[in-house]
Structure formats: structure tokens, C-alpha cells
């Protein structure tokens, strides 16, 4: 088996690009790309600004969830081995069946938006427990999501008796899970229509149209500072996540305040998220885990969980 190409490079190659071109487009130094993306590092540890750049400059109609899922599919293919899905040996047949089983489960959930959101949440949980080799928890989640739609769990998933089999079988199954939203919306045509409709809606946030362009920068800076101060005064500090800080406003509103000169600084869209009581408790649980993380890998993974929740 040849050396695996990093999922980021696979993503870029599929779009006729590479890291150098991505660096030129996004302004992210190639040295930063090299340090942030190592061949032995899980995709779950990609910094949010890299995912943001992939979305903005390559797939603006997608969400970061969509970007992450494509990268994970490449990562899972790398784990199984080059071309193994195309071979006709016994293992390859199992891989193909499990991927197909994952697709069948995805299709069962792709009946309405609520179920698609549930599967997306389950996908993220499966990613997490798989990364830390928690086979029993992985199986428990698999049983749960099959039971919800009245489907039987693939028998092969009960045969994951060693680490290698667990990695290969779970990767094959999870390659079939992405795409529920597209299945529900009947392809990209609907997504583009929805995107156009969304773009016609006035954006919310602290930024307003600035009548005097000569004073634009100064006025915009002052508006941003006032927005930050107001959030700090009225909100409860939750956690500092590097590029931004989270504050809780009221009972169920969480606001991101991006730090000065980060990528999303002074962005012109609303940064509020409105969570149910259960989701707010889940968020605070993630924050506690983030603060107690034993290393940067674990902290990065938990930060991804927080991002998905918001």
C-alpha cells in the first residue's frame, strides 16, 4: 500500500487545487498549513480556520459539517487502504457491504429535517468514540440509531474483535452515513435555490450600513467595540476557545465574541445561538471537559463538539 495522501490534499486535488493555491487564496501561510495538518493527525484536530477556508474558497454552498464529512471519508479510506473498496477479496466485500449498510441507515433518516439532524449528531458522537477506540460505546450508539428507525444492526459490526477490525469495519460503515441532507433536499439543485433565498434575507448582527465611507473603518471599529462591551456586561462568561469567547445571554442564548484580528472579526452576521435546556446542559458539559482536557488533541476534539452544537 502506498503512503496515504492527507485528506486535506485529497479534498484540494478533487477541486484542481493544492496547499500552495489554498494559501494564496485564503492568506493562510503554507507553514501554518504544514504545522496544523500532519499526516498522523486525525481530521478531528483540524483548526476551525482551515475548515472555514475550505468552505469559503471551495464550497461556499456547504456547511462546515459537509466539509468535515468529506475529509473524514478520505481519512477512513486511507485507514482501509488504497483501492481496497474496489478489490474482490473477502475483506473488500465486507467493506462494501458495511458502507452500503451505512447508506441504508442514512436513507432511513433522510425523511425529514429533524431526523437528518439526529443522524448528524449521532455521526459526530460516533467520530468521537471511534477516535478514542471506545468500541463498546461505538456499538451502543450504533444499536441506538438503528433501533430508532426499526432497522437491524449489521451482523459484521458484532465481529469487531480486535483493534484493526474495529478501525476498518467502523470506517467502512461510516463512509455510507454522510449525505442525508442532500438526499432529503433531492440534490444540489435544491441547495442552490435555498442558498439564493437565504442570501436575499437581510443579515443580522452588530454591523449596519455606514453612510459616510470616509469614516467607515473608525465607525465600524467603534460599533464592534460597543457590541463586545455590551455582550460582556450583559452576558455570563463561559469559555475562551482561542479565536473567540463564548458568553451566555439570558437563559438559552449563547454568543460568540471573536477576538480582534481573527478571521471572523467584525463579521456581518449574527453570532448568537439559541439552545434548548438540554443542549445548554450539553454545552456546559463540553466546556467542563474542554477545561479538563489532558492534551491539545483532546481539547481540539471537544472544541469541535462545541462548534457543532452551536
Amino acid at each position: 500500500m502506498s503512503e496515504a495522501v492527507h485528506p486535506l490534499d485529497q479534498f484540494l486535488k478533487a477541486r484542481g487545487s493544492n496547499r500552495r493555491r489554498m494559501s494564496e487564496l485564503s492568506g493562510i501561510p503554507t507553514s501554518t498549513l504544514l504545522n496544523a495538518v500532519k499526516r498522523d493527525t486525525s481530521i478531528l484536530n483540524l483548526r476551525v480556520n482551515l475548515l472555514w477556508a475550505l468552505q469559503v474558497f471551495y464550497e461556499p454552498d456547504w456547511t462546515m459539517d459537509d466539509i468535515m464529512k468529506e475529509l473524514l471519508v478520505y481519512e477512513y479510506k486511507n485507514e482501509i487502504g488504497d483501492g481496497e473498496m474496489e478489490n474482490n477479496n473477502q475483506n473488500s466485500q465486507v467493506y462494501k457491504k458495511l458502507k452500503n449498510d451505512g447508506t441504508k441507515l442514512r436513507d432511513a433518516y433522510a425523511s425529514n429535517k429533524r431526523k437528518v439532524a439526529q443522524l448528524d449528531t449521532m455521526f459526530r458522537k460516533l467520530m468521537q468514540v471511534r477516535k478514542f477506540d471506545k468500541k463498546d460505546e461505538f456499538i451502543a450508539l450504533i444499536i441506538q440509531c438503528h433501533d430508532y428507525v426499526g432497522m437491524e444492526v449489521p451482523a459484521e459490526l458484532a465481529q469487531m474483535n480486535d483493534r484493526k477490525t474495529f478501525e476498518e469495519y467502523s470506517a467502512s460503515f461510516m463512509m455510507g452515513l454522510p449525505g442525508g441532507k442532500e438526499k432529503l433536499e433531492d440534490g444540489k439543485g435544491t441547495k442552490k435555490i435555498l442558498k439564493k433565498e437565504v442570501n436575499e434575507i437581510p443579515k443580522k448582527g452588530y454591523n449596519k450600513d455606514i453612510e459616510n465611507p470616509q469614516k467607515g473603518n473608525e465607525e465600524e471599529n467603534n460599533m464592534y467595540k460597543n457590541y463586545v462591551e455590551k455582550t460582556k456586561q450583559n452576558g455570563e462568561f463561559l469559555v475562551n476557545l482561542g479565536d473567540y469567547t463564548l458568553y451566555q445571554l439570558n437563559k438559552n442564548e449563547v454568543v460568540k465574541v471573536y477576538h480582534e484580528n481573527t478571521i471572523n472579526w467584525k463579521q456581518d452576521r449574527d453570532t448568537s445561538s439559541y439552545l434548548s435546556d438540554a443542549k445548554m446542559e450539553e454545552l456546559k458539559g463540553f466546556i467542563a471537559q474542554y477545561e479538563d482536557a489532558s492534551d491539545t488533541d483532546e481539547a481540539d476534539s471537544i472544541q469541535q463538539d462545541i462548534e457543532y452544537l452551536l
Side-chain angles (χ1 to χ4, degrees), residues 247-270:
Y247 292 88
Q248 180 178 351
L249 295 179
N250 306 313
K251 182 181 178 183
N252 297 92
E253 181 182 1
V254 176
V255 178
K256 286 183 181 179
V257 174
Y258 286 92
H259 301 159
E260 189 169 344
N261 294 323
T262 56
I263 287 177
N264 291 307
W265 183 51
K266 297 190 296 186
Q267 62 178 4
D268 59 355
R269 66 176 183 271
D270 195 356

Side-chain angles (χ1 to χ4, degrees), residues 8-9 17 19 66 70 73 84-86 99 105 109-110 120-121 127 134 140 166 174 182 213 217 256 278 282:
L8 175 65
D9 298 311
S17 189
R19 293 192 194 190
D66 299 326
E70 180 173 332
V73 168
E84 275 299 307
M85 280 287 183
E86 286 71 39
K99 181 181 178 183
L105 180 65
Y109 274 84
D120 284 344
T121 298
M127 285 192 299
K134 297 179 179 179
F166 171 61
M174 290 187 67
E182 289 80 5
N217 288 338
K256 286 183 181 179
E282 188 176 357

Side-chain angles (χ1 to χ4, degrees), residues 267-284:
Q267 62 178 4
D268 59 355
R269 66 176 183 271
D270 195 356
T271 59
S272 294
S273 298
Y274 297 88
L275 306 179
S276 65
D277 291 345
K279 291 295 183 183
M280 185 65 76
E281 285 301 313
E282 188 176 357
L283 172 64
K284 291 183 177 179

